[in-house]
Amino acid sequence: MHETTAYEITTPRPWTRPPATATQPVILPADIPPGFGWVTLPNGVRTLAYTHPTPAPPIPVTPAQPIPAWAKTTALLAPTVGGGIAAAGIGLSYAAPGLIAMSHALWSAAALVVAAVTAAPLLLRGARRAATGSGGRGAGAATHITQNITATGLFGRANGTINHR
């Protein structure tokens, strides 16, 4: 059947303080590893023991703030504006030869207008001299009109005379 084994029953001895002559190792505070600390037991003995680390204070979480409407609008318009600028650049690159030709034509037209404005009085003066003859007073002598205007004060009434000669 069953074998029975005999066990010796002992009672624990009460704890006694070590003799004063025993030498205890000296541990400096810098030598204590993290997570351990000095603990005083209920019987008054101080010893090193594992200590639970104090939990770090929780970081306050700020509630999510809504995105402003102007930021959303700007974010939505940025690609559109960029695409428009890119399209304009491509269009200008295709239109560059025509734009260069038009700029040359505009400069030519401006030069023609300046030449016409400069030459018109010279041509009219030459035509008038040819009609009057050698530049003296002949049958086609011009009438001179003089006008004298006088006014008194800044806002005074103006009076004038016209003379035909």
Side-chain angles (χ1 to χ4, degrees):
M1 296 228 227
H2 294 289
E3 290 182 34
T4 57
T5 308
Y7 292 104
E8 182 183 347
I9 298 175
T10 59
T11 58
R13 293 182 304 173
W15 185 83
T16 58
R17 194 169 255 218
T21 59
T23 60
Q24 295 291 327
V26 176
I27 299 176
L28 298 173
D31 294 336
I32 298 174
F36 288 87
W38 289 106
V39 177
T40 304
L41 297 176
N43 62 3
V45 176
R46 289 190 70 207
T47 183
L48 278 177
Y50 176 75
T51 57
H52 296 287
T54 57
I59 298 172
V61 178
T62 58
Q65 297 178 352
I67 298 173
W70 65 266
K72 290 180 185 177
T73 305
T74 304
L76 291 173
L77 283 178
T80 306
V81 171
I85 291 172
I90 292 170
L92 284 175
S93 69
Y94 284 126
L99 291 175
I100 292 170
M102 281 193 292
S103 70
H104 288 299
L106 284 174
W107 279 113
S108 299
L112 182 64
V113 168
V114 169
V117 168
T118 306
L122 295 175
L123 291 175
L124 289 175
R125 186 179 302 154
R128 188 174 46 183
R129 281 191 183 164
T132 58
S134 63
R137 292 191 157 208
T143 305
H144 292 282
I145 302 173
T146 58
Q147 184 176 10
N148 296 322
I149 300 174
T150 58
T152 56
L154 183 62
F155 296 106
R157 187 174 199 146
N159 295 319
T161 59
I162 297 176
N163 299 321
H164 294 276
R165 294 185 192 184

